[in-house]
Amino acid sequence: MAQYAPTLNPPKTLIPKLPNPNPSFSSISTFRTPKPKSKNFSTISMSVTAGQNQQQHQKPPSLDVLINSARKEEVIGAIKNSSSHCLSETNLHLTVPGLKSKTRGKVLNETSLWWFDKTQHITSNAVVLAPDENVTIAKKCSVFPVEFVVRGFVTGSTDTSLWTVYNNGVRNYCGNALPDGLAKSQKLPANILTPTTKAADHDVPVTPDEIVECGLMTQAEYDERVALEHGLILVDTKYEFGKGKDGSILLIDEVHTPDSSRYWIAHTYEERFKNGLEPENVDKEFLRLWFKDHCNPYEDEVLPDAPEELVRELSWRYIFLYETITKSEFKLPSTEEPIHDRISRNVARALSSLT
């Protein structure tokens, strides 16, 4: 993996709104948030193209490949063989002095790094170095207690999802006026921003006015944000921001991973929506629905363990999405060296180079 230098982020520049030659695929773009007093849809500009050369040589992702393919069998086999070598936490602070953070999973880490690299010309981020495929070293930030959720479609199954609240009769959500007559999975007239506070138990929807009035962000901090979109159909996603020591606002945490985003297969969306069918998805919605059927994720103190086959399916979907977006093959984990030893060595070396 290419390492990121400490001087990763150039001065922030915004890119103009591009034409929309193909409504099925999303590429990098910017959005402007609504002014706090606005009660209409936010003005989010969304450019949707996948690059003409790429479209000519790449077949669109399909549910057949997701469900039944030689690549899936290879990945699932590797997951079975490597699961005993994986760690829930690396406890690197015990082997690398001064380190107090945890690591991310390999596919989530590499997906975010790919997006951080592709979008650094749009908004500065906190990434400093990627010394290991499982690890990102980032600038320490004061995190704003707000998640900026961008939605382009009426969907979802949780209590705070747009379809749930809309189906319950809500027509003004987080400061956005919603028209009557929308159906589940329908594309919104315009993308909307639905911020939530980062509450202890679960996120709580909030309006732009309330973000400022409650002191979660100043008006100037709120107005400075920009964002980006790319992928199959990027249905909705969230962004988190923090303030660096120099006062700059940085994109943090993760970008466009299956943990923070919902993806649909683009070329089958229109036909399935017209026929009243659920879109073909490449995210963790199936696992959300399993937990919803077996517990109350928001209220139960102890959640049941998901079946092993669902966990493996989730891993495969994350890898499938990574390979579809990046157009590169995901390097499956090696079991030749204990993961803890490898990460400890790489992180210690990286930290010594930064001092």
Side-chain angles (χ1 to χ4, degrees):
M1 178 192 298
Q3 292 192 344
Y4 286 63
T7 56
L8 172 67
N9 295 303
K12 182 189 304 179
T13 57
L14 300 182
I15 60 176
K17 182 177 180 180
L18 300 174
N20 183 351
N22 185 340
S24 297
F25 289 82
S26 300
S27 69
I28 299 171
S29 70
T30 64
F31 72 72
R32 301 188 304 278
T33 58
K35 294 181 180 179
K37 298 301 180 182
S38 171
K39 302 301 180 184
N40 298 318
F41 287 101
S42 56
T43 53
I44 306 173
S45 65
M46 184 175 181
S47 167
V48 278
T49 180
Q52 298 303 316
N53 292 334
Q54 191 178 84
Q55 289 187 37
Q56 292 174 4
H57 300 289
Q58 296 285 349
K59 292 182 179 180
S62 70
L63 196 62
D64 289 339
V65 175
L66 179 63
I67 294 176
N68 185 22
S69 66
R71 179 58 175 162
K72 179 177 181 178
E73 293 180 4
E74 178 187 10
V75 170
I76 293 295
I79 292 170
K80 290 180 180 179
N81 293 332
S82 64
S83 59
S84 61
H85 297 266
C86 295
L87 304 170
S88 57
E89 294 183 19
T90 60
N91 292 318
L92 287 180
H93 63 284
L94 300 179
T95 55
V96 182
L99 189 68
K100 298 181 180 180
S101 63
K102 300 178 182 179
T103 62
R104 306 185 60 80
K106 173 176 162 59
V107 68
L108 291 175
N109 192 54
E110 293 197 352
T111 300
S112 277
L113 286 171
W114 190 89
W115 277 114
F116 278 129
D117 182 47
K118 296 297 182 182
T119 59
Q120 57 182 296
H121 65 290
I122 300 174
T123 182
S124 299
N125 59 64
V127 176
V128 174
L129 200 65
D132 185 271
E133 58 199 27
N134 284 70
V135 180
T136 294
I137 296 176
K139 297 176 183 178
K140 186 175 182 179
C141 296
S142 300
V143 180
F144 294 113
V146 179
E147 291 185 348
F148 299 94
V149 183
V150 181
R151 305 179 189 271
F153 294 76
V154 186
T155 191
S157 59
T158 64
D159 292 343
T160 58
S161 71
L162 186 55
W163 170 245
T164 300
V165 298
Y166 185 86
N167 196 40
N168 289 334
V170 174
R171 293 296 181 268
N172 192 305
Y173 190 51
C174 299
N176 300 286
L178 302 172
D180 291 327
L182 295 177
K184 187 178 182 182
S185 303
Q186 184 172 349
K187 183 173 175 60
L188 290 164
N191 294 348
I192 62 174
L193 180 65
T194 59
T196 63
T197 63
K198 293 173 65 65
D201 49 355
H202 65 279
D203 300 338
V204 178
V206 64
T207 67
D209 283 348
E210 291 168 339
I211 290 175
V212 177
E213 291 169 0
C214 295
L216 303 179
M217 300 181 77
T218 67
Q219 187 64 61
E221 290 167 344
Y222 181 87
D223 290 341
E224 184 177 335
R225 293 174 307 99
V226 296
L228 38 110
E229 298 184 42
H230 180 81
L232 307 152
I233 289 181
L234 183 57
V235 180
D236 51 45
T237 191
K238 74 175 179 67
Y239 303 97
E240 295 187 51
F241 295 85
K243 180 178 285 189
K245 290 183 178 180
D246 61 355
S248 59
I249 296 179
L250 303 173
L251 182 63
I252 63 169
D253 192 38
E254 58 184 334
V255 185
H256 298 172
T257 73
D259 269 9
S260 64
S261 312
R262 194 189 313 268
Y263 286 93
W264 291 342
I265 292 178
H267 68 96
T268 61
Y269 164 73
E270 290 290 347
E271 182 178 357
R272 293 183 67 85
F273 176 72
K274 289 178 182 178
N275 292 324
L277 301 175
E278 287 289 327
E280 296 176 336
N281 68 78
V282 196
D283 50 48
K284 63 179 182 180
E285 181 66 13
F286 76 99
L287 199 59
R288 290 192 190 100
L289 294 175
W290 185 92
F291 277 103
K292 185 179 180 181
D293 290 340
H294 291 81
C295 64
N296 187 329
Y298 292 119
E299 297 182 5
D300 294 351
E301 293 185 4
V302 179
L303 301 182
D305 292 332
E308 187 174 341
E309 61 269 20
L310 289 187
V311 176
R312 290 173 181 167
E313 175 67 23
L314 186 71
S315 299
W316 158 240
R317 284 173 176 252
Y318 280 29
I319 292 171
F320 175 88
L321 187 63
Y322 170 86
E323 293 185 339
T324 300
I325 292 173
T326 66
K327 304 301 179 185
S328 60
E329 185 172 294
F330 180 75
K331 181 182 177 183
L332 296 173
S334 171
T335 58
E336 296 178 358
E337 179 185 14
I339 294 176
H340 184 278
D341 293 350
R342 187 201 74 214
I343 294 177
S344 297
R345 182 184 68 254
N346 290 339
V347 172
R349 183 186 299 134
L351 292 179
S352 64
S353 70
L354 294 175
T355 57

